[in-house]
Amino acid sequence: MEQFRYSISSVIEPGIIDLDQAMQDTFSRSIRYLRLSLTSACQMRCTYCRPDWLRHCDQSGQLTADEIESVVRHLVARHGIHKVRLTGGDPTARPDLIPIIRRVAAIDGVRDLAMTTNGLTLARLALDYRMAGVRRVNVSLDSLDGDTFARMTGVNGLERVLAGIDAAIAAGLAPIRLNCVVLAGDNDRQLPDLVRFAAARKLEIRFIELMPMGPLAEQWSKRYVPAAVMRERLNPHVADWQPIDQGHESAQRFDLRLTDGRRVTVGFITPMSCNFCAACNRLRLTADGHSYPCLMDQPRGSFLPAVRPHFDAAHFDRLLSAALGAKASEHPAQGVAVMTTIGG
Ligand code: SAM
C-alpha cells in the first residue's frame, strides 16, 4: 500500500523490521490495532490485577494529550492503524480523558475508537464519552453478587457498574461487551447468572482465563479455570452452541441458544488453554510511552525519546521497527508485567 512506501533501510539490522513491508512483524502478522493505555491508575483493586505497590505509583511522566495525538496521528497516517482502544489502569481515571477522546476521534483514518473500562464512571459520563467520539465500550463485570464483586474488585461498586452498563446502552456505545475474569473459589459457579444477565440486555459476554501474571501469579494453578470447565458449567443452561468465526478476535465466540429460548453471544478468552497469538494484530503502548510486544512480555523500549520534546517521525519509526522485531511468535509461559500498567 502506498502509505507504507518510505525508506528506513539504514536502520535495518537483525531482529529489526523493515517498515517498507507495511506494519508486519517477523511472523508476517499485520499490525492494525493500537491498544493505548492512558494511565496505570485505576479506581478498582482487582485481586488478580492490581499489586499493592501501584497505589503509590507516580503518574507524572505519562504522555500528554498532545503527545498522544501525535503518536496516534502518525500510526494512522503512516502505518495503517485504524482501530484504537483506550485502556489502562482505567482510562476513566485520567482527568483529561474527554479531550483525549475528542482528539483521537478527530484523527482522519481512526475508524474504530473503543474503550475498556471498569464501568464505575459510565452512569455519569457514558453520553459524554459517546459525544466525544468513543464508539463502543468493553466493561469488566466479574460478578452479579455484591459480596463476590467487592471481594474480587476491592470496591463496593456493583450497583454503580450495573447502572453504568445501562447508561452505556442508553448512550448507544454499542456493541457493548462484558468482560469477566473467572477465578476458582470466587465467581466460577456464577457464570450462568452472568450469561442470563447479558442475554436479557442483548450484550456479548466474554469469560477470561486467569493469566499467570500480577498478584495471583503464584496461586495461578489453584485459581485458574480453563474455558473447557467454564463451558461445562454453562452446559446445563445451553440448548445449542453455534461457533462464530474468530477472525482477529481474541475470543472463541459462540452464538448460544439458552434452555429458556433466549440467545446470547458468549466468548472465551483462552490465553492459557489455547492461545490466539497467531492472529495477534496489536501494538501496545503504555501511558509512559513504553511499547509492549505482548501482554505477557517485557517492555521493548520507550517511545518517549521520539516524542518529547517534539515528535520526531524518523526516530519514532526506528523505535517502532525495533519494537515489532521483538514481537515473539507466542506469549511467554509466565507474565513478567502487570496487566494494569499495559492495559488488557
Ligand atoms: N480497568 C479496565 C477494566 O476493568 O477493564 C481496563 C484495564 S484491565 C487491566 C483490562 C482487562 O484485563 C480486564 O478485563 C481485566 O479483568 C483483565 N485482567 C487483568 N489481570 C488479569 C489476569 N491476571 N488474567 C486475566 N485477565 C486479567
Short mmCIF file of all heavy atoms in Angstrom, two decimals, residues 35 41-44 46 48-50 86-91 116-119 138-142 179-183 208-217 220 271 295 338-344, ligand 1:
data_model
loop_
_atom_site.label_atom_id
_atom_site.label_comp_id
_atom_site.label_asym_id
_atom_site.label_seq_id
_atom_site.Cartn_x
_atom_site.Cartn_y
_atom_site.Cartn_z
N ARG A 35 -3.48 -0.61 21.05
CA ARG A 35 -4.03 -0.59 22.41
C ARG A 35 -3.24 0.43 23.20
O ARG A 35 -2.04 0.25 23.40
CB ARG A 35 -3.84 -1.96 23.07
CG ARG A 35 -4.68 -3.01 22.44
CD ARG A 35 -5.75 -3.39 23.41
NE ARG A 35 -6.63 -4.37 22.83
CZ ARG A 35 -7.39 -5.16 23.52
NH1 ARG A 35 -7.36 -5.13 24.83
NH2 ARG A 35 -8.19 -6.01 22.94
N ALA A 41 -3.31 4.21 36.65
CA ALA A 41 -4.21 4.39 37.81
C ALA A 41 -5.55 3.71 37.53
O ALA A 41 -5.98 3.62 36.38
CB ALA A 41 -4.44 5.88 38.06
N CYS A 42 -6.17 3.22 38.58
CA CYS A 42 -7.49 2.60 38.45
C CYS A 42 -8.23 2.78 39.77
O CYS A 42 -7.61 2.77 40.84
CB CYS A 42 -7.36 1.12 38.11
SG CYS A 42 -8.95 0.29 37.84
N GLN A 43 -9.55 2.91 39.68
CA GLN A 43 -10.35 3.09 40.90
C GLN A 43 -10.58 1.75 41.58
O GLN A 43 -11.06 1.72 42.71
CB GLN A 43 -11.71 3.72 40.57
CG GLN A 43 -11.64 5.02 39.77
CD GLN A 43 -11.67 4.77 38.25
OE1 GLN A 43 -11.25 3.71 37.77
NE2 GLN A 43 -12.15 5.74 37.50
N MET A 44 -10.31 0.65 40.88
CA MET A 44 -10.54 -0.66 41.48
C MET A 44 -9.23 -1.29 41.96
O MET A 44 -8.15 -0.86 41.57
CB MET A 44 -11.24 -1.58 40.48
CG MET A 44 -12.69 -1.23 40.27
SD MET A 44 -13.53 -2.48 39.29
CE MET A 44 -15.23 -1.89 39.38
N CYS A 46 -8.57 -4.92 41.80
CA CYS A 46 -8.91 -6.32 41.49
C CYS A 46 -7.79 -7.24 41.98
O CYS A 46 -6.61 -6.97 41.75
CB CYS A 46 -9.14 -6.50 40.00
SG CYS A 46 -10.55 -5.53 39.43
N TYR A 48 -6.74 -10.06 41.07
CA TYR A 48 -5.92 -10.75 40.06
C TYR A 48 -5.10 -9.77 39.23
O TYR A 48 -4.32 -10.17 38.38
CB TYR A 48 -6.84 -11.57 39.14
CG TYR A 48 -7.99 -10.76 38.59
CD1 TYR A 48 -7.83 -9.96 37.47
CD2 TYR A 48 -9.24 -10.78 39.20
CE1 TYR A 48 -8.88 -9.19 36.98
CE2 TYR A 48 -10.30 -10.02 38.71
CZ TYR A 48 -10.11 -9.23 37.60
OH TYR A 48 -11.14 -8.47 37.13
N CYS A 49 -5.33 -8.47 39.46
CA CYS A 49 -4.78 -7.48 38.52
C CYS A 49 -3.83 -6.49 39.18
O CYS A 49 -2.73 -6.26 38.70
CB CYS A 49 -5.94 -6.75 37.85
SG CYS A 49 -5.46 -5.60 36.57
N ARG A 50 -4.26 -5.89 40.31
CA ARG A 50 -3.51 -4.74 40.84
C ARG A 50 -2.65 -5.08 42.04
O ARG A 50 -3.16 -5.34 43.12
CB ARG A 50 -4.47 -3.62 41.23
CG ARG A 50 -5.13 -3.07 40.00
CD ARG A 50 -5.54 -1.68 40.03
NE ARG A 50 -4.64 -0.65 40.43
CZ ARG A 50 -4.02 0.17 39.59
NH1 ARG A 50 -4.13 0.00 38.31
NH2 ARG A 50 -3.27 1.14 40.05
N LEU A 86 -8.71 2.56 23.91
CA LEU A 86 -8.18 3.25 25.09
C LEU A 86 -8.39 2.35 26.29
O LEU A 86 -9.48 1.84 26.52
CB LEU A 86 -8.90 4.58 25.29
CG LEU A 86 -8.91 5.52 24.07
CD1 LEU A 86 -9.71 6.78 24.37
CD2 LEU A 86 -7.48 5.88 23.65
N THR A 87 -7.29 2.16 27.04
CA THR A 87 -7.40 1.26 28.18
C THR A 87 -6.54 1.80 29.32
O THR A 87 -6.16 2.95 29.34
CB THR A 87 -7.04 -0.19 27.73
OG1 THR A 87 -7.11 -1.06 28.85
CG2 THR A 87 -5.69 -0.29 27.07
N GLY A 88 -6.24 0.96 30.32
CA GLY A 88 -5.46 1.42 31.46
C GLY A 88 -4.94 0.23 32.25
O GLY A 88 -4.93 -0.88 31.71
N GLY A 89 -4.68 0.37 33.51
CA GLY A 89 -5.35 1.09 34.55
C GLY A 89 -6.82 1.19 34.18
O GLY A 89 -7.41 0.29 33.63
N ASP A 90 -7.38 2.29 34.45
CA ASP A 90 -8.67 2.57 33.86
C ASP A 90 -8.59 3.93 33.17
O ASP A 90 -8.20 4.92 33.81
CB ASP A 90 -9.80 2.56 34.89
CG ASP A 90 -11.11 2.25 34.19
OD1 ASP A 90 -11.43 1.05 34.02
OD2 ASP A 90 -11.80 3.20 33.74
N PRO A 91 -8.94 3.99 31.88
CA PRO A 91 -8.82 5.27 31.17
C PRO A 91 -9.62 6.37 31.83
O PRO A 91 -9.26 7.54 31.77
CB PRO A 91 -9.34 4.95 29.76
CG PRO A 91 -10.07 3.65 29.86
CD PRO A 91 -9.48 2.91 31.01
N THR A 116 -11.92 0.33 27.06
CA THR A 116 -12.15 -0.73 28.04
C THR A 116 -12.17 -0.09 29.42
O THR A 116 -11.25 0.66 29.76
CB THR A 116 -11.00 -1.78 27.97
OG1 THR A 116 -10.97 -2.33 26.66
CG2 THR A 116 -11.24 -2.91 28.94
N THR A 117 -13.18 -0.37 30.20
CA THR A 117 -13.32 0.31 31.48
C THR A 117 -13.93 -0.60 32.54
O THR A 117 -14.60 -1.58 32.22
CB THR A 117 -14.17 1.59 31.33
OG1 THR A 117 -14.37 2.19 32.60
CG2 THR A 117 -15.52 1.32 30.69
N ASN A 118 -13.69 -0.21 33.79
CA ASN A 118 -14.31 -0.92 34.91
C ASN A 118 -15.78 -0.52 35.08
O ASN A 118 -16.49 -1.09 35.89
CB ASN A 118 -13.54 -0.65 36.21
CG ASN A 118 -13.42 0.84 36.52
OD1 ASN A 118 -14.32 1.62 36.24
ND2 ASN A 118 -12.29 1.23 37.12
N GLY A 119 -16.24 0.49 34.37
CA GLY A 119 -17.66 0.85 34.35
C GLY A 119 -18.09 1.80 35.45
O GLY A 119 -19.25 2.25 35.46
N ASN A 138 -15.98 -1.92 26.29
CA ASN A 138 -15.95 -3.20 26.98
C ASN A 138 -15.97 -2.86 28.47
O ASN A 138 -15.22 -1.99 28.92
CB ASN A 138 -14.66 -3.98 26.68
CG ASN A 138 -14.65 -4.53 25.27
OD1 ASN A 138 -15.58 -4.32 24.50
ND2 ASN A 138 -13.58 -5.22 24.93
N VAL A 139 -16.83 -3.54 29.21
CA VAL A 139 -16.96 -3.23 30.64
C VAL A 139 -16.65 -4.50 31.43
O VAL A 139 -17.19 -5.57 31.14
CB VAL A 139 -18.40 -2.76 30.97
CG1 VAL A 139 -18.50 -2.35 32.44
CG2 VAL A 139 -18.81 -1.61 30.07
N SER A 140 -15.79 -4.36 32.44
CA SER A 140 -15.50 -5.52 33.29
C SER A 140 -16.66 -5.76 34.24
O SER A 140 -17.15 -4.83 34.88
CB SER A 140 -14.22 -5.26 34.10
OG SER A 140 -13.11 -5.34 33.25
N LEU A 141 -17.09 -7.00 34.32
CA LEU A 141 -18.16 -7.37 35.25
C LEU A 141 -17.86 -8.80 35.72
O LEU A 141 -18.13 -9.76 35.02
CB LEU A 141 -19.53 -7.30 34.57
CG LEU A 141 -20.71 -7.66 35.47
CD1 LEU A 141 -20.89 -6.61 36.58
CD2 LEU A 141 -22.01 -7.77 34.66
N ASP A 142 -17.29 -8.90 36.92
CA ASP A 142 -16.85 -10.21 37.39
C ASP A 142 -17.93 -10.98 38.13
O ASP A 142 -17.83 -12.21 38.28
CB ASP A 142 -15.61 -10.06 38.30
CG ASP A 142 -14.37 -9.65 37.51
OD1 ASP A 142 -14.34 -9.90 36.29
OD2 ASP A 142 -13.45 -9.07 38.11
N ASN A 179 -16.68 -8.14 30.17
CA ASN A 179 -15.50 -8.98 30.39
C ASN A 179 -15.51 -9.52 31.80
O ASN A 179 -15.69 -8.75 32.75
CB ASN A 179 -14.21 -8.16 30.22
CG ASN A 179 -13.88 -7.91 28.77
OD1 ASN A 179 -14.27 -8.68 27.90
ND2 ASN A 179 -13.17 -6.83 28.52
N CYS A 180 -15.30 -10.81 31.95
CA CYS A 180 -15.36 -11.42 33.27
C CYS A 180 -14.18 -12.37 33.45
O CYS A 180 -14.08 -13.38 32.74
CB CYS A 180 -16.68 -12.19 33.37
SG CYS A 180 -16.83 -13.16 34.86
N VAL A 181 -13.28 -12.04 34.36
CA VAL A 181 -12.17 -12.95 34.66
C VAL A 181 -12.72 -14.02 35.62
O VAL A 181 -13.36 -13.68 36.62
CB VAL A 181 -10.99 -12.19 35.33
CG1 VAL A 181 -9.90 -13.17 35.75
CG2 VAL A 181 -10.43 -11.16 34.37
N VAL A 182 -12.49 -15.28 35.29
CA VAL A 182 -13.09 -16.36 36.08
C VAL A 182 -12.04 -16.92 37.04
O VAL A 182 -10.96 -17.34 36.63
CB VAL A 182 -13.63 -17.47 35.15
CG1 VAL A 182 -14.26 -18.59 35.97
CG2 VAL A 182 -14.66 -16.87 34.18
N LEU A 183 -12.38 -16.88 38.33
CA LEU A 183 -11.46 -17.35 39.38
C LEU A 183 -12.09 -18.48 40.17
O LEU A 183 -13.20 -18.32 40.72
CB LEU A 183 -11.16 -16.21 40.36
CG LEU A 183 -10.34 -15.03 39.90
CD1 LEU A 183 -10.01 -14.14 41.09
CD2 LEU A 183 -9.05 -15.50 39.24
N ILE A 208 -12.85 -14.80 30.77
CA ILE A 208 -11.39 -14.72 30.55
C ILE A 208 -10.66 -15.69 31.47
O ILE A 208 -10.91 -15.71 32.68
CB ILE A 208 -10.90 -13.28 30.84
CG1 ILE A 208 -11.67 -12.26 30.00
CG2 ILE A 208 -9.41 -13.15 30.60
CD1 ILE A 208 -11.35 -10.79 30.33
N GLU A 209 -9.79 -16.49 30.88
CA GLU A 209 -8.94 -17.36 31.70
C GLU A 209 -7.90 -16.53 32.44
O GLU A 209 -7.29 -15.62 31.85
CB GLU A 209 -8.20 -18.37 30.81
CG GLU A 209 -9.10 -19.43 30.22
CD GLU A 209 -8.33 -20.41 29.32
OE1 GLU A 209 -7.17 -20.11 28.95
OE2 GLU A 209 -8.90 -21.45 28.98
N LEU A 210 -7.70 -16.84 33.71
CA LEU A 210 -6.69 -16.14 34.51
C LEU A 210 -5.31 -16.37 33.90
O LEU A 210 -4.93 -17.50 33.59
CB LEU A 210 -6.70 -16.68 35.95
CG LEU A 210 -5.69 -16.04 36.89
CD1 LEU A 210 -6.03 -14.59 37.20
CD2 LEU A 210 -5.59 -16.84 38.20
N MET A 211 -4.58 -15.29 33.76
CA MET A 211 -3.20 -15.40 33.25
C MET A 211 -2.23 -15.33 34.43
O MET A 211 -2.49 -14.61 35.40
CB MET A 211 -2.93 -14.28 32.25
CG MET A 211 -3.80 -14.40 31.01
SD MET A 211 -3.85 -12.90 30.03
CE MET A 211 -2.27 -12.96 29.22
N PRO A 212 -1.12 -16.08 34.35
CA PRO A 212 -0.18 -16.12 35.48
C PRO A 212 0.68 -14.87 35.55
O PRO A 212 1.89 -14.91 35.33
CB PRO A 212 0.64 -17.38 35.19
CG PRO A 212 0.56 -17.55 33.73
CD PRO A 212 -0.72 -16.95 33.25
N MET A 213 0.06 -13.77 35.82
CA MET A 213 0.77 -12.50 35.97
C MET A 213 0.03 -11.70 37.03
O MET A 213 -1.13 -11.98 37.33
CB MET A 213 0.80 -11.75 34.64
CG MET A 213 -0.56 -11.48 34.06
SD MET A 213 -0.51 -10.94 32.33
CE MET A 213 0.32 -9.36 32.46
N GLY A 214 0.71 -10.71 37.59
CA GLY A 214 0.05 -9.89 38.61
C GLY A 214 -0.01 -10.61 39.95
O GLY A 214 0.67 -11.62 40.17
N PRO A 215 -0.85 -10.11 40.86
CA PRO A 215 -0.82 -10.58 42.25
C PRO A 215 -1.17 -12.05 42.45
O PRO A 215 -0.79 -12.63 43.45
CB PRO A 215 -1.87 -9.70 42.95
CG PRO A 215 -2.21 -8.62 42.00
CD PRO A 215 -1.80 -9.01 40.64
N LEU A 216 -1.91 -12.66 41.52
CA LEU A 216 -2.26 -14.08 41.71
C LEU A 216 -1.33 -15.02 40.93
O LEU A 216 -1.62 -16.22 40.84
CB LEU A 216 -3.72 -14.34 41.29
CG LEU A 216 -4.80 -13.69 42.16
CD1 LEU A 216 -6.19 -14.18 41.76
CD2 LEU A 216 -4.58 -13.97 43.64
N ALA A 217 -0.25 -14.49 40.41
CA ALA A 217 0.65 -15.33 39.59
C ALA A 217 1.09 -16.58 40.36
O ALA A 217 1.10 -17.68 39.81
CB ALA A 217 1.86 -14.51 39.14
N TRP A 220 -1.63 -19.21 40.63
CA TRP A 220 -2.33 -19.40 39.36
C TRP A 220 -2.94 -20.80 39.22
O TRP A 220 -4.11 -20.94 38.87
CB TRP A 220 -1.36 -19.12 38.20
CG TRP A 220 -2.01 -19.36 36.87
CD1 TRP A 220 -2.86 -18.51 36.23
CD2 TRP A 220 -1.90 -20.52 36.06
NE1 TRP A 220 -3.29 -19.07 35.06
CE2 TRP A 220 -2.72 -20.29 34.93
CE3 TRP A 220 -1.20 -21.72 36.17
CZ2 TRP A 220 -2.84 -21.25 33.92
CZ3 TRP A 220 -1.32 -22.65 35.16
CH2 TRP A 220 -2.15 -22.42 34.06
N PRO A 271 -6.10 -17.37 26.76
CA PRO A 271 -4.67 -17.22 26.55
C PRO A 271 -3.87 -18.43 27.03
O PRO A 271 -2.78 -18.70 26.53
CB PRO A 271 -4.32 -15.99 27.40
CG PRO A 271 -5.43 -15.87 28.40
CD PRO A 271 -6.64 -16.39 27.70
N LEU A 295 1.04 -8.78 25.98
CA LEU A 295 0.61 -8.55 27.36
C LEU A 295 1.53 -9.20 28.37
O LEU A 295 1.71 -8.72 29.48
CB LEU A 295 -0.77 -9.19 27.55
CG LEU A 295 -2.00 -8.34 27.43
CD1 LEU A 295 -3.22 -9.18 27.72
CD2 LEU A 295 -1.94 -7.16 28.38
N VAL A 338 2.65 -6.39 34.68
CA VAL A 338 1.38 -6.30 35.39
C VAL A 338 0.36 -5.76 34.39
O VAL A 338 0.57 -4.73 33.78
CB VAL A 338 1.51 -5.32 36.58
CG1 VAL A 338 0.21 -5.27 37.36
CG2 VAL A 338 2.65 -5.74 37.47
N MET A 339 -0.74 -6.48 34.24
CA MET A 339 -1.73 -6.15 33.21
C MET A 339 -2.19 -4.70 33.32
O MET A 339 -2.44 -4.02 32.32
CB MET A 339 -2.92 -7.08 33.38
CG MET A 339 -3.99 -6.92 32.37
SD MET A 339 -3.85 -8.06 31.02
CE MET A 339 -4.31 -9.61 31.72
N THR A 340 -2.31 -4.23 34.55
CA THR A 340 -2.91 -2.93 34.76
C THR A 340 -2.02 -1.78 34.29
O THR A 340 -2.51 -0.67 34.06
CB THR A 340 -3.31 -2.79 36.25
OG1 THR A 340 -4.12 -1.66 36.41
CG2 THR A 340 -2.12 -2.71 37.16
N THR A 341 -0.72 -2.02 34.11
CA THR A 341 0.10 -0.95 33.54
C THR A 341 0.06 -1.00 32.01
O THR A 341 0.23 0.00 31.34
CB THR A 341 1.57 -1.04 33.98
OG1 THR A 341 2.03 -2.36 33.72
CG2 THR A 341 1.73 -0.73 35.44
N ILE A 342 -0.18 -2.19 31.46
CA ILE A 342 -0.15 -2.33 29.99
C ILE A 342 -1.53 -2.06 29.40
O ILE A 342 -1.66 -1.53 28.31
CB ILE A 342 0.26 -3.75 29.57
CG1 ILE A 342 1.45 -4.23 30.39
CG2 ILE A 342 0.58 -3.81 28.10
CD1 ILE A 342 1.78 -5.68 30.16
N GLY A 343 -2.56 -2.47 30.14
CA GLY A 343 -3.92 -2.37 29.60
C GLY A 343 -4.27 -3.67 28.93
O GLY A 343 -3.68 -4.01 27.91
N GLY A 344 -5.23 -4.40 29.52
CA GLY A 344 -5.54 -5.74 28.99
C GLY A 344 -6.24 -5.68 27.66
O GLY A 344 -6.48 -4.62 27.11
N1 SAM B 1 -9.72 -1.13 34.02
C1 SAM B 1 -10.22 -1.63 32.77
C2 SAM B 1 -11.12 -2.81 33.01
O1 SAM B 1 -11.53 -3.03 34.15
O2 SAM B 1 -11.50 -3.49 32.05
C3 SAM B 1 -9.17 -1.90 31.71
C4 SAM B 1 -7.85 -2.48 32.10
S1 SAM B 1 -7.90 -4.10 32.73
C5 SAM B 1 -6.20 -4.38 33.03
C6 SAM B 1 -8.24 -5.00 31.27
C7 SAM B 1 -8.65 -6.43 31.41
O3 SAM B 1 -7.60 -7.19 31.94
C8 SAM B 1 -9.83 -6.65 32.29
O4 SAM B 1 -10.83 -7.36 31.62
C9 SAM B 1 -9.23 -7.46 33.43
O5 SAM B 1 -10.20 -8.21 34.00
C10 SAM B 1 -8.14 -8.22 32.72
N2 SAM B 1 -7.10 -8.82 33.58
C11 SAM B 1 -6.32 -8.20 34.48
N3 SAM B 1 -5.46 -9.07 35.09
C12 SAM B 1 -5.70 -10.28 34.53
C13 SAM B 1 -5.12 -11.58 34.69
N4 SAM B 1 -4.14 -11.83 35.57
N5 SAM B 1 -5.60 -12.59 33.94
C14 SAM B 1 -6.58 -12.36 33.01
N6 SAM B 1 -7.16 -11.15 32.80
C15 SAM B 1 -6.73 -10.12 33.55
#
